[in-house]
Amino acid sequence: MRFHVVTIFPNMFESYFAESIIARAIKNKLLEIHTYALRDFTFDKHRRVDGRPYGGGPGMVMWVDPLIKCVEKIDKKIQKKKNTKVLVVMFNPGGDMFTNTLAKTVSKKYTDIIFICGRYEGIDARVKKILKAKEWSIGPYVLTGGELPAMVCIDAITRQIKGVLNTEDSIEENRIASHEIYARPEVYEYKGKKYKVPKVLVEGNHKLIDEWRKNHSTGKNVS
Ligand code: SAH
């Protein structure tokens, strides 16, 4: 899987992807993450990427041309590889809700995903039409830009790629996982009160443990 991120803030991505599971996956050649500085695709000396909206109103709109030029360049690079399947995604708080099911589907279906991170008021609507892009939202709130959504989606999709997590089993959705988890000590005392691990988890009856976990499961919020 190759991720391509179009942004005016490429530096934002460096520290997150340089650590932990994603860094290991990149090192093991399970994925690549490339960022593209949108301002490199402008032709005026101020390297502007945005202008005033038609119809008036506050906030600037990201221009079509630099985005198209940038994606054309990425596409050229992708087409040098064999058997590619490309998805273009724009971020928009009003887009299709990004879910774990979607993460799983796209992780299997595509070789390259191009993410376009919006800023300001958003992206000129013609970009979506020209690039036949999908629009994804990561939740019912408005952020200042598409960079965090790109990181969120890359993270969730990466987890679904075979070999990224240590064992297949680590993928919560493939087993009975609970969001309520405990490790040593069995009893933790704080300000005179005892906080105990549920008995069923210490007793070792795996059938009962699975049942308990099902009732305290991650699954209900992940689909
Ligand atoms: N005024 C716009 C919001 C623009 S927010 C509106 O009301 O729709 C600026 C950019 O941040 C968006 O273009 C998008 O790329 C990103 N963004 C903000 N919130 C988001 C969310 N919940 N999901 C995905 N992208 C989001």
Side-chain angles (χ1 to χ4, degrees), residues 58-60 62 90-97 116-123 135-150 153:
M60 294 302 217
M62 290 179 84
M90 288 168 43
F91 289 109
N92 185 336
D96 298 332
M97 199 57 72
I116 302 177
C117 304
R119 278 266 151 187
Y120 319 112
E121 189 66 11
I123 298 166
E135 278 188 304
W136 289 358
S137 166
I138 63 158
Y141 39 76
V142 182
L143 300 163
T144 55
E147 285 74 14
L148 278 176
C153 295

Side-chain angles (χ1 to χ4, degrees), residues 84-117:
T84 55
K85 198 125 184 12
V86 187
L87 172 69
V88 184
V89 175
M90 288 168 43
F91 289 109
N92 185 336
D96 298 332
M97 199 57 72
F98 179 72
T99 62
N100 219 41
T101 308
L102 189 52
K104 201 180 287 183
T105 308
V106 299
S107 78
K108 294 195 165 55
K109 202 163 161 195
Y110 298 99
T111 58
D112 295 84
I113 304 181
I114 303 173
F115 289 115
I116 302 177
C117 304

Side-chain angles (χ1 to χ4, degrees), residues 21-166:
I21 293 173
I22 297 198
R24 188 182 66 199
I26 293 170
K27 206 171 133 232
N28 292 342
K29 302 204 170 349
L30 295 169
L31 68 134
E32 293 174 19
I33 301 173
H34 303 280
T35 53
Y36 303 82
L38 185 59
R39 290 197 198 281
D40 291 349
F41 298 84
T42 54
F43 298 94
D44 71 307
K45 72 171 193 255
H46 302 294
R47 301 179 18 116
R48 277 194 67 175
V49 294
D50 62 302
R52 302 178 69 80
Y54 277 107
M60 294 302 217
V61 175
M62 290 179 84
W63 278 327
V64 185
D65 191 58
L67 285 166
I68 299 296
K69 293 267 169 22
C70 182
V71 172
E72 266 184 344
K73 186 184 161 176
I74 298 170
D75 218 31
K76 242 187 217 150
K77 205 168 115 179
I78 295 172
Q79 294 318 327
K80 287 190 185 138
K81 309 263 180 191
K82 277 185 211 132
N83 302 324
T84 55
K85 198 125 184 12
V86 187
L87 172 69
V88 184
V89 175
M90 288 168 43
F91 289 109
N92 185 336
D96 298 332
M97 199 57 72
F98 179 72
T99 62
N100 219 41
T101 308
L102 189 52
K104 201 180 287 183
T105 308
V106 299
S107 78
K108 294 195 165 55
K109 202 163 161 195
Y110 298 99
T111 58
D112 295 84
I113 304 181
I114 303 173
F115 289 115
I116 302 177
C117 304
R119 278 266 151 187
Y120 319 112
E121 189 66 11
I123 298 166
D124 188 307
R126 289 168 289 189
V127 173
K128 180 181 180 188
K129 288 185 193 150
I130 295 169
L131 298 177
K132 298 186 175 57
K134 299 279 180 211
E135 278 188 304
W136 289 358
S137 166
I138 63 158
Y141 39 76
V142 182
L143 300 163
T144 55
E147 285 74 14
L148 278 176
M151 287 187 230
V152 166
C153 295
I154 289 173
D155 192 298
I157 295 166
T158 295
R159 280 181 76 259
Q160 301 293 340
I161 298 169
K162 216 175 164 162
V164 165
L165 299 182
N166 277 333

